[in-house]
Amino acid sequence: MTIDDMERLTSGATTVLRFYAPVKTGNLRNNGINYEVYDDKGVIYVDGDGTNGIAFYMPYTNEPWVADRWHGKKNPNEGWWQNAVDKVAEYIADILGGALIR
């Protein structure tokens, strides 16, 4: 696979991930989810770790809410990351002509 192929694959996978990201302000989708391509690999990441970064709050968009302030309501985005990563895996398998075995 050439670096251009890896760029296209990683860019496409990032687009899939962004599609499934929750959108309130658009910051997570448009600014927080990024990628880099190296010679033989592509890396997709969220710029934020729960305390710092562009989308520092990302972990809280995915996890169950436990704070009293939500009055028992469930996080409507709970588990979005796992679902999105499944879609990314399907995309990569399809592009590379493979099969996703679960």
Side-chain angles (χ1 to χ4, degrees):
M1 177 176 286
T2 68
I3 194 163
D4 289 339
D5 293 336
M6 183 58 73
E7 172 74 29
R8 282 189 292 278
L9 180 65
T10 307
S11 175
T14 302
T15 299
V16 171
L17 187 62
R18 286 176 176 160
F19 178 81
Y20 290 99
V23 179
K24 183 171 184 178
T25 66
N27 183 57
L28 173 60
R29 177 179 281 181
N30 300 324
N31 305 313
I33 299 173
N34 296 298
Y35 73 94
E36 294 179 16
V37 175
Y38 303 99
D39 291 335
D40 60 347
K41 66 180 176 180
V43 177
I44 302 172
Y45 63 94
V46 176
D47 186 347
D49 63 3
T51 342
N52 298 304
I54 293 172
F56 64 90
Y57 52 84
M58 179 275 177
Y60 307 108
T61 66
N62 186 61
E63 300 303 320
W65 288 334
V66 292
D68 291 338
R69 73 184 265 192
W70 300 112
H71 307 291
K73 292 180 184 173
K74 183 179 178 186
N75 177 358
N77 301 310
E78 185 177 319
W80 78 267
W81 180 260
Q82 291 83 354
N83 295 333
V85 169
D86 282 348
K87 297 298 184 185
V88 168
E90 291 171 8
Y91 169 81
I92 292 171
D94 186 52
I95 293 296
L96 297 179
L100 187 61
I101 300 171
R102 297 176 195 244

